Amino acid sequence: MSAPFFRSCMLLFSHSMTTQSVPFIDLKRFEDGFLDTVSERVNLAIKEAHFVGGPERGSCEEALKNFSQAPFLTLCANGTDALQLALRASGIKAGHKIIVPNLTFWASAEAIINVGATPVVLDIDKESFHLNPQKCLEAFEKFQADGIMLVHLFGWANPGTESIRKFCSDHNKVLVEDSAQAIGVELNGKSLIGTSPLATTSFYPAKVLGASGDAGAVFSTNEEMTKLCYTLADHGRSNHYQHGHVGWNSRVGIYECIFLEESIKHIQPRIESRRSVCQRYKEELNSEHFQIHNAEDGITENGYLSVATMNPDHRERFVAHLKEHNIGHGTVYPTPVAQQPGLQAFPHETWLDGSADQVTSSVVNLPCFAYMTESEQSYVIESVKKFF
Ligand SMILES: *Cc1c(COP(=O)(O)O)cnc(C)c1O
């Protein structure tokens, strides 16, 4: 054996002994037996030629109903379609104006534009990072808005949810709650999604409840609403060759349904595991230089994301420090909606005060995922402490 080869082997050996690394997210930590069960069920479904609408869809919807406590729901192809279905089923079309927060995933605004309506981009509350209910009421007046897309970010809920729901119901305004990050979140001890008049979610694999590919759902307390969403997602069919509406194809595949139904069986421990990571960061890392944010009182978070803010001038160096320690990170979100290049080509209105910009320039997300080990958590915590 040549000396350099031997040396590189030793280096490799010592490297694996001493270097720890923690990814931002690890989607491969399945419970024992989970993958076998999924594979068996998928094989069986293929043999039976159940591809897009077998009994697996019904049993998945039943499991989701039990978990979410939503009286009615329908599955669809992804979370963005779910938003578009909910907007369309609410009668939103060209000429309508819909309020949307300046801090959210782009799809919240995209869906409004895709149904032909005009987004009214409203800045967020500095404390909650969500829309302020009082400001929403003023915006309804100021812009003569027809509805609102209430986004629940970071695995929390908008703390003003109840008053916004009440205002929309009292004043006949359209309300769509983008709960893509909020499955399993509780507001005053009740399921956030289950109590919403109209909410959507995404089962993109990296969400708290993920499918094996893309999927989404619309939830409602109103049966007619979910029926209409189902119809719109199936070419607006009234029967096989009769189309009462212009919809599109937003069906969900059977593999997704099987993977989801099996995942729901493990969702509570997954959420508890994520939540405990967020709590531990709060207890051990929250400081004047590195503020850890969690859901406000009365909201039980699902641990979707760990959210910290810091001096923007030091963020680049901090991120480099994390990289040196092989620790993954996020900056959710780096750009406010109002500054997205894609928005500029479409009619839109804005009411901004710089609050979202403050968050986008100062936010850092530390690793957080189901079944992250204690030693991984400790390594992240020690490494962060070394910087401050
Ligand atoms: C993920 C996400 C969506 C979009 O869901 P897809 O399934 O990727 O289409 C919409 N809104 C928010 C807030 C999201 O996080």
Side-chain angles (χ1 to χ4, degrees):
M1 195 186 294
S2 73
F5 180 71
F6 181 68
R7 208 177 303 127
S8 68
C9 285
M10 285 307 290
L11 269 175
L12 216 80
F13 182 65
S14 65
H15 184 81
S16 66
M17 290 293 287
T18 58
T19 309
Q20 226 177 325
S21 72
V22 184
F24 179 54
I25 183 169
D26 184 357
L27 298 179
K28 296 191 292 293
R29 304 207 182 170
F30 300 114
E31 296 80 5
D32 288 345
F34 175 84
L35 288 178
D36 291 337
T37 311
V38 170
S39 313
E40 278 164 28
R41 289 194 58 194
V42 165
N43 281 336
L44 212 68
I46 297 173
K47 276 188 199 142
E48 298 290 327
H50 296 166
F51 300 125
V52 283
E56 293 82 1
R57 174 177 174 142
S59 62
C60 176
E61 285 183 333
E62 228 18 70
L64 258 177
K65 201 181 282 184
N66 285 334
F67 169 54
S68 68
Q69 298 289 302
F72 307 102
L73 65 91
T74 185
L75 288 164
C76 63
N78 56 66
T80 311
D81 272 9
L83 290 171
Q84 287 169 202
L85 290 165
L87 288 167
R88 282 282 310 278
S90 304
I92 292 303
K93 53 183 187 295
H96 286 143
K97 291 185 188 176
I98 303 291
I99 295 168
V100 66
N102 195 20
L103 187 72
T104 181
F105 181 56
W106 173 237
S108 314
E110 201 176 33
I112 296 170
I113 294 171
N114 280 341
V115 303
T118 304
V120 176
V121 185
L122 207 63
D123 230 318
I124 49 160
D125 184 278
K126 277 193 175 62
E127 299 298 317
S128 73
F129 298 173
H130 286 73
L131 289 176
N132 175 295
Q134 187 54 40
K135 183 150 178 176
C136 290
L137 306 199
E138 288 166 29
F140 268 112
E141 183 73 31
K142 183 173 157 85
F143 296 95
Q144 292 295 299
D146 301 284
I148 179 166
M149 182 167 305
L150 184 62
V151 185
H152 305 292
L153 276 192
F154 306 138
W156 313 342
N158 181 312
T161 298
E162 279 172 353
S163 64
I164 294 171
R165 282 179 185 170
K166 183 167 187 321
F167 175 86
C168 291
S169 127
D170 289 351
H171 295 83
N172 222 1
K173 301 290 185 186
V174 166
L175 169 67
V176 173
E177 296 184 38
D178 182 347
S179 314
Q181 305 183 4
I183 198 128
V185 171
E186 287 179 5
L187 180 63
N188 301 324
K190 289 201 185 122
S191 164
L192 177 71
I193 286 178
T195 51
S196 171
L198 189 58
T200 67
T201 203
S202 159
F203 301 115
Y204 178 70
K207 308 282 181 181
V208 166
L209 176 60
S212 47
D214 281 306
V218 184
F219 305 81
S220 181
T221 44
N222 178 332
E223 186 172 17
E224 291 310 311
M225 196 57 111
T226 50
K227 273 192 184 156
L228 184 50
C229 290
Y230 174 88
T231 303
L232 289 172
D234 188 30
H235 300 295
R237 276 199 171 97
S238 4
N239 63 48
H240 197 68
Y241 285 119
Q242 197 80 42
H243 304 273
H245 300 270
V246 175
W248 67 99
N249 169 8
S250 183
R251 289 183 298 246
V252 61
I254 286 306
Y255 306 166
E256 264 51 78
C257 296
I258 292 170
F259 194 95
L260 269 175
E261 187 184 345
E262 293 305 320
S263 299
I264 292 167
K265 295 179 183 161
H266 303 282
I267 191 68
Q268 288 305 349
R270 289 186 192 179
I271 287 178
E272 274 155 35
S273 157
R274 286 171 170 274
R275 211 183 266 153
S276 77
V277 175
C278 292
Q279 297 298 327
R280 194 167 163 211
Y281 285 154
K282 176 89 179 180
E283 281 156 25
E284 301 198 33
L285 284 177
N286 191 39
S287 76
E288 126 191 49
H289 301 296
F290 196 68
Q291 295 99 31
I292 305 277
H293 306 266
N294 298 75
E296 304 212 349
D297 290 349
I299 300 161
T300 314
E301 63 190 10
N302 67 13
Y304 176 60
L305 274 180
S306 84
V307 180
T309 50
M310 60 180 294
N311 184 334
D313 298 340
H314 302 157
R315 189 172 68 173
E316 209 179 307
R317 257 193 329 114
F318 178 67
V319 162
H321 172 85
L322 291 178
K323 276 190 191 142
E324 270 165 36
H325 288 77
N326 301 307
I327 295 171
H329 76 280
T331 47
V332 178
Y333 288 94
T335 310
V337 169
Q339 281 166 31
Q340 291 292 355
L343 185 70
Q344 315 315 324
F346 289 89
H348 64 278
E349 308 211 43
T350 58
W351 190 15
L352 308 174
D353 62 17
S355 302
D357 304 77
Q358 258 179 38
V359 177
T360 55
S361 64
S362 62
V363 71
V364 183
N365 314 97
L366 295 175
C368 175
F369 48 89
Y371 309 127
M372 183 177 173
T373 65
E374 298 257 323
S375 96
E376 286 172 322
Q377 296 167 34
S378 303
Y379 178 66
V380 171
I381 288 166
E382 281 157 29
S383 306
V384 171
K385 278 183 174 164
K386 270 192 217 160
F387 184 84
F388 290 101

